[in-house]
Amino acid sequence: MSLVLTGSPSLPPLLARGALLSPFKRPSPDAEFPRTRLVLPGLRVDLARLAAYERVCGFATGDDALPLTYPHVLGFPLAMRLMSDRGFPLPLLGLVHTSVDITRRRSLPATGAYELAVHVGGLEPHRRGTEASVITELRDGGESGDVVWESRSTYLARHRTHAEPSAERAERAPLPVLAEWRLAGDVGRRYGAASGDRNPIHLHPLTARLFGFPRAIAHGMWTVARCLAAHGAPDPVRVRAEFRAPVLLPGTVTYGAEGGRFELRGSGDRVHVSGRVDPLP
């Protein structure tokens, strides 16, 4: 079932609702979840907000083109409407973004008109809990109505499971280091202001500690956006990234890249983010 919206949902009440309902959620990969597909036609980009996003992520400002990761920000309020719903079984508080798979089929003018659609793809068991996938599609707002950008994000609700411990993955050798980035303690708050994602695990040490983190952690989508701002990507492209370990704020990370691969590593050579950029024909 599709539900057509007349405007982008307001995030503060959705985040508040999600926070209030979180203690009553019982996550399970077998749980029911909302099947509604939310559709927002006639979408126009707020250029001032876009510029704030570009600055915090390291993209060039002023171009009439959306950064590869920006449609995720446009779809975030719709995703939050679904994930804060009483029928969504995972608690919004403490939900961790674990991966993203993005396909951009052509350049996306910042001044263009688009149709946005978001739905929950399903639930899957994870060795640390239950993972939900959220699918976002951006269509050309003109006559063609073609899908020009799409993504699949996975979000993990951590809880006890009976899963057997998974085998340790074989780590690849570090990619050549191209830069060292010192991340300020307010990166999560700055990205939250630009994107609307004000999950408390990203904002302050005290609120992050409530969910088991010693300090605030960077948004996964900020880390991959920062990597892509440095790496670059052609217009028809597929990008896949895994958020392997949280980036604590403040902190220092190294950015490495070679060919189509990129990564962020921290102290002790710990991999925080790994991904790859593949041009499409």
Side-chain angles (χ1 to χ4, degrees):
M1 179 183 75
S2 293
L3 176 62
V4 178
L5 306 179
T6 58
S8 185
S10 176
L11 277 169
L14 295 178
L15 295 172
R17 181 176 71 178
L20 290 172
L21 290 175
S22 287
F24 305 101
K25 298 298 181 76
R26 298 294 179 264
S28 165
D30 300 320
E32 281 299 314
F33 58 89
R35 309 283 175 159
T36 303
R37 180 174 180 266
L38 298 180
V39 180
L40 179 62
L43 175 67
R44 294 278 184 176
V45 173
D46 182 327
L47 298 182
R49 185 180 174 192
L50 171 62
Y53 175 88
E54 291 169 332
R55 286 192 294 269
V56 73
C57 296
F59 291 107
T61 59
D63 295 337
D64 185 19
L66 298 181
L68 176 58
T69 48
Y70 196 68
H72 175 87
V73 172
L74 299 175
F76 186 69
L78 280 69
M80 284 300 99
R81 175 160 171 173
L82 292 173
M83 291 194 286
S84 66
D85 187 84
R86 187 178 298 276
F88 186 73
L90 308 189
L92 192 61
L93 285 183
L95 207 59
V96 178
H97 198 176
T98 51
S99 74
V100 66
D101 188 334
I102 296 172
T103 299
R104 179 174 64 188
R105 305 195 181 282
R106 62 166 175 77
S107 178
L108 307 175
T111 52
Y114 301 98
E115 179 182 280
L116 191 66
V118 179
H119 69 277
V120 177
L123 303 176
E124 295 287 343
H126 186 279
R127 63 188 176 87
R128 293 183 177 174
T130 298
E131 206 168 52
S133 62
V134 177
I135 313 301
T136 302
E137 294 178 339
L138 194 70
R139 293 179 178 272
D140 186 331
E143 292 184 2
S144 73
D146 293 336
V147 175
V148 292
W149 184 100
E150 57 193 312
S151 74
R152 178 184 185 271
S153 281
T154 57
Y155 297 90
L156 173 66
R158 297 181 297 174
H159 60 83
R160 289 184 178 180
T161 72
H162 300 293
E164 294 292 330
S166 58
E168 293 292 329
R169 75 171 84 194
E171 292 292 349
R172 293 181 175 180
L175 298 177
V177 174
L178 303 184
E180 180 180 270
W181 298 332
R182 296 184 178 181
L183 311 181
D186 67 346
V187 165
R189 294 190 290 276
R190 290 168 54 214
Y191 182 84
S195 68
D197 184 354
R198 291 185 171 88
N199 188 321
I201 63 176
H202 303 302
L203 303 182
H204 297 280
L206 287 177
T207 53
R209 286 187 196 121
L210 295 174
F211 302 97
F213 299 102
R215 302 197 300 276
I217 65 173
H219 295 72
M221 286 305 296
W222 179 84
T223 61
V224 74
R226 185 67 188 88
C227 287
L228 290 171
H231 188 283
D235 285 334
V237 69
R238 182 182 182 189
V239 173
R240 286 161 284 181
E242 291 185 20
F243 308 117
R244 304 269 299 276
V247 175
L248 298 177
L249 300 172
T252 300
V253 294
T254 58
Y255 163 69
E258 185 174 53
R261 295 169 56 209
F262 63 86
E263 66 184 14
L264 282 186
R265 289 181 181 257
S267 60
D269 236 10
R270 189 183 195 191
V271 180
H272 293 294
V273 180
S274 63
R276 62 177 300 111
V277 176
D278 293 309
L280 295 178

